[in-house]
Amino acid sequence: MLSHFERDLDELKEKGFTDILHTVSENDMKFYKGTMKDFIKKSKEKGFTVTVSPWSYGLVFGGEAFSEFPILYPEACQVTQDGRKLPNACFNNLEFIHYMKVWISAVSDMGTDYILWDEPHWAGGGGWYALKEGEWSCRCEKCCQRYQEIYEEEMPLLWSDRIQSFRKRSMVDFIQEVSSYSKKKGIKNIICFFPNRINFEVPNEWEAVASLESIDIFATDPYWVGSNYSSKEYVEYYVEQAVKIGDKVGKEVQLYIQNFRIEAEEEYKVKEAVEVGLQYGINYFYTWGFNSCAHMSFLASDNPELAFLQYYQTLQNNSTS
Ligand SMILES: [Zn+2]
């Protein structure tokens, strides 16, 4: 509802926000394409820089949304080593790459400035529809064919380091393909990989993707909910690693601050996380999400106003000091 949205935009402006991220899901593409275009137009008229993300697209990007892709293209989805078909799209499948290019053309037409390639992951990698114990993907026809071409051997049924490398390589190639396509349309690209909450780990594809010519910004989103570490320790570790990668490949670093499922009395953690980013020299912040997700029961914080305030007030205080 554009008139309601306009009020929210004014409120954000007042609170010092400069950028806005619009999620563009498969549902939006089907039923709200023109509406999303109006939202983005309105955002830009009000002076906001606009980013969009492929919200849960093909169930291989971050987001709380359903995907129609497995209904339309069941043959282009991931398959486990035992042949079980999954609902998640396969990064090596040309149908999916085409599906993403249709999305890129649409968001380009909507007038976005940036695309956030948000948390791309293989099935089971922290997304919806967990795999069963011992299962891995993808061993679809396309993956088997590509694996054979690269390693000159049949793709094994048993998990190995080589399969791990193959998956990482496939992910890097996929991001390169889609981000180059959007780059050609004049859109800037941000990559964000979801950090491991259980163990501190910096997978090598982070740097590989960050160093791609088509990638402009390297982002990290250390959301501490469910982490094995204290929020501060967790944020600090991944911010430090992201800054290291950014320095190495010469890209700006963007930091996403958790603003969902913040429990009562823990709102100070939002402030602490922003302060960690500032200490490490980060200038480009986002928070997930608007009004601490008060409108969404699945993600809402206990005291959304207070949690949201901790974010923008900390940045406001910093910019005036
Ligand atoms: Zn596959």
Side-chain angles (χ1 to χ4, degrees), residues 77-79 90-93 122 138-143:
C77 290
Q78 295 177 45
V79 178
C90 174
F91 289 112
N92 280 321
N93 197 289
W122 288 95
C138 176
R139 208 175 171 283
C140 74
E141 209 175 299
K142 182 72 198 168
C143 283

Side-chain angles (χ1 to χ4, degrees), residues 22-66:
H22 289 291
T23 57
V24 181
S25 65
E26 291 176 66
N27 192 65
D28 291 322
M29 281 285 283
K30 193 156 179 159
F31 301 115
Y32 294 93
K33 216 190 243 177
T35 312
M36 291 312 298
K37 190 172 179 171
D38 289 342
F39 270 47
I40 289 171
K41 190 167 168 240
K42 188 57 77 188
S43 306
K44 294 185 91 168
E45 276 170 14
K46 297 265 180 190
F48 286 88
T49 298
V50 173
T51 295
V52 297
S53 74
W55 197 227
S56 215
Y57 241 75
L59 297 174
V60 290
F61 290 104
E64 284 76 26
F66 287 119

Side-chain angles (χ1 to χ4, degrees), residues 207-270:
E207 190 183 317
V209 174
S211 62
L212 293 174
E213 213 184 309
S214 49
I215 295 294
D216 299 281
I217 293 180
F218 181 72
T220 189
D221 58 351
Y223 302 147
W224 54 85
V225 62
S227 153
N228 273 2
Y229 305 91
S230 77
S231 62
K232 203 173 170 193
E233 194 181 14
Y234 181 68
V235 173
E236 201 156 355
Y237 177 79
Y238 284 110
V239 167
E240 190 180 356
Q241 300 306 315
V243 169
K244 264 190 208 164
I245 291 174
D247 285 347
K248 195 168 172 197
V249 303
K251 304 282 167 78
E252 184 173 7
V253 174
Q254 195 177 60
L255 178 60
Y256 285 79
I257 304 287
Q258 183 181 330
N259 227 313
F260 57 90
R261 292 188 179 166
I262 304 289
E263 291 179 17
E265 309 293 324
E266 296 203 341
E267 293 84 8
Y268 71 93
K269 291 183 177 178
V270 174

Side-chain angles (χ1 to χ4, degrees), residues 5 9 18-25 36 39-41 43-44 47-55 103 107-108 110-118 187-192 216-217 219 254 256 284-288:
F5 173 59
L9 271 180
T18 57
D19 286 51
I20 188 162
L21 194 156
H22 289 291
T23 57
V24 181
S25 65
M36 291 312 298
F39 270 47
I40 289 171
K41 190 167 168 240
S43 306
K44 294 185 91 168
F48 286 88
T49 298
V50 173
T51 295
V52 297
S53 74
W55 197 227
W103 179 83
V107 297
S108 169
M110 290 174 193
T112 193
D113 301 302
Y114 288 92
I115 288 176
L116 169 67
W117 298 106
D118 192 20
I187 303 171
K188 290 182 192 144
N189 294 290
I190 306 164
I191 180 71
C192 182
D216 299 281
I217 293 180
Q254 195 177 60
Y256 285 79
Y284 209 162
F285 286 85
Y286 254 106
T287 193
W288 201 281

Side-chain angles (χ1 to χ4, degrees), residues 192-207:
C192 182
F193 287 107
F194 184 63
N196 189 329
R197 285 169 175 157
I198 311 302
N199 303 303
F200 283 151
E201 178 198 10
V202 180
N204 56 11
E205 66 269 28
W206 288 19
E207 190 183 317

Side-chain angles (χ1 to χ4, degrees), residues 112-165:
T112 193
D113 301 302
Y114 288 92
I115 288 176
L116 169 67
W117 298 106
D118 192 20
E119 303 176 347
H121 55 270
W122 288 95
W128 312 124
Y129 314 109
L131 293 180
K132 292 176 194 161
E133 178 101 30
E135 276 188 328
W136 56 267
S137 68
C138 176
R139 208 175 171 283
C140 74
E141 209 175 299
K142 182 72 198 168
C143 283
C144 285
Q145 193 188 334
R146 191 158 180 230
Y147 188 95
Q148 174 91 42
E149 279 163 21
I150 298 170
Y151 301 106
E152 293 175 342
E153 63 168 29
E154 197 187 336
M155 192 175 193
L157 287 159
L158 284 178
W159 179 256
S160 67
D161 288 347
R162 192 172 261 191
I163 293 172
Q164 174 84 293
S165 306

